[in-house]
């Protein structure tokens, strides 16, 4: 058996999947055959969820039924809301609060916890309930932390629109609702990224869907993965306050050996197609507000990083200034990533259960192989 170590599983193909395909050299992303540009332009997040989980775009009736089922599941059980309240009052980190609350959902899930954890129909129902509740958890956490009352979810608003309504206690205008819906579409799935793979590892032991999603939330939180979007905005604000030009600021950061957040990718060798779409959105929002500062600053950094390091932006680079100009608090950027990616996690878990093999790689042992035991008191 080969002992060649593939650190970080770089380039290792460990599964087949019909959910999404990335061409890292062309900068192409498709979900079940549909170009991400078409989906971003035309599909709602609910439509993309249906596509990922059921393998085809829904008819109007199928979409309406699916959306209504989801909307009816947005409310949190009182105990879960109490826990969210306690976590907010303890000033817990938002992604840690989400991890805890998502895990707790299983105790109040309508499906029998003794049911077969790999049952597809049960997991589709659980998947709808988890996906419907995450926005309510995130919005309630933020409002309680800021001293406001949580806002009850509404069933007459779309998934994206309802989140902004619960967050701000006012219905979003059409541009904000459409922009946020598009952002959820863009983040929904992305091959075997770290958080998706962790959901697969968990489900490969035939553990349950809530455990798999909880694993994924914990994994997404890291700054090399989902945590990067918030760090991009913190970087832009630091740069803005520094009085330096982008080139000098980036140079100084690189000289310190810092990573420039929002750049580089394990799969893309060119600009992430999602960054292209979000960059256009960031510019549009800036133009509508009469201030394209954040977009222009981002473009300066992008040009410099491309020229100096040959590194292109990933999805997190322009999502930062887009969310910021939408008035979304910076520490909610990664929970919002989770709000979307939960659709991909569940899609991959459904595939894993369908054709399961325990995920269990090996390590090349480099430790000592021959030690004599010495009694404790003689060491
Ligand atoms: C996401 O996998 C996915 O699909 C993820 C994602 C999704 O939708 O799920 O696309 C979402 O997580 C995007 C990535 C968000 N993370 C960041 O923006 C953090 C900053 N980026 C890096 O840390 C890095 O680029 C990674 C983690 C994204 C990718 O890391 P790799 O593939 O392990 O690349 P590497 O660390 O081996 O870097 C290769 C070289 C190194 O140079 P050398 O040390 O060999 O000289 O490129 C350099 C790195 O130093 N490099 C960077 C850099 N990213 C890589 N240098 C400065 N700034 C950076 N951001």
């Amino acid at each position: 058996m080969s002992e060649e170590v593939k650190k970080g599983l770089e380039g290792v193909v460990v599964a087949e999947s019909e959910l999404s395909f990335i061409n890292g050299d062309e900068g192409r992303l498709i979900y079940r055959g549909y170009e991400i540009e078409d989906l971003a332009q035309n599909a709602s997040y609910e439509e993309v969820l249906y596509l990922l989980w059921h393998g085809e775009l829904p008819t109007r009736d199928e979409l309406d039924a699916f959306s209504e089922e989801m909307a009816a599941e947005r409310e949190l059980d009182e105990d879960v809301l109490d826990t969210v309240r306690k976590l907010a009052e303890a000033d817990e980190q938002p992604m840690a609060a989400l991890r805890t609350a998502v895990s707790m959902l299983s105790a109040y899930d309508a499906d029998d916890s003794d049911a077969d954890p790999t049952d597809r129909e049960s997991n589709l129902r659980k998947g709808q309930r988890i996906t419907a509740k995450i926005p309510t958890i995130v919005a309630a956490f933020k409002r309680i932390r800021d001293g406001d009352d949580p806002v009850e979810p509404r069933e007459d608003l779309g998934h994206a629109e309802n989140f902004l309504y619960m967050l701000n206690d006012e219905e979003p205008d059409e541009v904000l609702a459409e922009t946020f819906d598009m952002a959820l579409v863009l983040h929904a799935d992305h091959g075997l990224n770290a958080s998706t793979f962790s959901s697969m590892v968990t489900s490969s032991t035939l553990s349950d869907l809530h455990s798999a999603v909880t694993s994924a939330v914990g994994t997404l939180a890291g700054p090399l993965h989902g945590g990067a979007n918030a760090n991009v905005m913190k970087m832009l604000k630091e740069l803005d306050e520094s009085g330096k030009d982008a080139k000098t600021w980036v140079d100084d950061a690189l000289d310190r050996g810092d990573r420039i957040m929002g750049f580089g990718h394990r799969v893309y060798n060119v600009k992430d197609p999602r960054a292209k779409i979000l960059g256009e959105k960031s510019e549009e929002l800036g133009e509508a507000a009469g201030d394209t500062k954040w977009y222009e600053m981002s473009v300066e950094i992008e040009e410099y990083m491309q020229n100096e390091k040959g590194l292109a932006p990933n999805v997190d680079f322009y999502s930062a200034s887009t969310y910021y100009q939408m008035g979304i608090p910076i520490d909610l950027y990664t929970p919002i990533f989770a709000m979307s990616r939960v659709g991909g996690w569940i899609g991959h878990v459904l595939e894993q259960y369908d054709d399961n093999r325990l995920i269990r790689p090996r390590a090349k042992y480099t430790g000592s192989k021959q030690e004599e035991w010495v009694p404790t008191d003689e060491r």
Side-chain angles (χ1 to χ4, degrees), residues 360-372:
R360 199 276 185 216
R362 295 175 57 235
K364 178 179 182 181
Y365 179 67
T366 57
S368 158
K369 287 191 177 168
Q370 193 63 49
E371 296 291 331
E372 291 294 318

Side-chain angles (χ1 to χ4, degrees), residues 10 22 190 193-194 223-226 228 254 258-266 272 274 305 309 311 314-316 337 341:
E10 182 149 10
I22 303 166
H190 208 242
N193 58 86
L224 293 187
H225 188 17
L254 292 173
D258 293 356
R259 293 275 171 121
I260 307 300
M261 292 293 111
F263 283 89
H265 199 274
R266 177 60 62 82
D272 185 327
R274 301 167 296 175
M305 283 294 285
K309 293 287 284 185
L311 287 169
N314 56 53
V315 66
D316 295 313
F337 195 149
R341 185 56 56 84

